[in-house]
């Protein structure tokens, strides 16, 4: 059972990594701004420091979101 849970976690992590890349790719293709997804990808794949990513997101100028 323990090994099975470990395997499930590994699969979830692997799938999440693929999803993070896919979401950003689709957002760029559609011209949708997704700053949180962009930072997640920077942290995961570009060794961007987590603290710097959080600060960059928190310091973004406020703007109304369009629906």
């Amino acid at each position: 059972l323990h090994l099975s849970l470990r395997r499930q976690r590994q699969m979830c992590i692997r799938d999440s990594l693929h999803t993070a890349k896919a979401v950003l790719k689709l957002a760029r293709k559609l011209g949708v701004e997704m700053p949180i997804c962009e930072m997640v990808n920077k942290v995961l794949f570009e060794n961007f420091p987590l603290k710097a990513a959080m600060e960059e997101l928190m310091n973004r100028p406020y703007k109304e979101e369009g629906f």
Side-chain angles (χ1 to χ4, degrees):
L1 182 66
H2 175 63
L3 211 48
S4 177
L5 290 174
R6 176 182 273 170
R7 180 86 173 127
Q8 286 177 343
R9 286 185 188 137
Q10 289 172 341
M11 289 173 61
C12 287
I13 291 169
R14 183 198 66 217
D15 292 346
S16 297
L17 293 173
H18 292 297
T19 301
K21 287 181 179 181
V23 166
L24 189 57
K25 182 178 179 180
L26 182 60
R28 288 179 175 160
K29 179 181 176 182
L30 297 175
V32 176
E33 187 178 19
M34 296 188 70
I36 295 172
C37 291
E38 290 171 10
M39 283 299 149
V40 166
N41 275 273
K42 280 186 172 185
V43 169
L44 291 175
F45 305 113
E46 300 174 20
N47 295 320
F48 197 77
L50 180 58
K51 184 175 180 180
M54 292 171 54
E55 288 172 354
E56 196 169 315
L57 286 169
M58 295 305 291
N59 290 325
R60 284 175 48 88
Y62 175 80
K63 67 178 190 175
E64 291 290 327
E65 298 293 331
F67 292 98

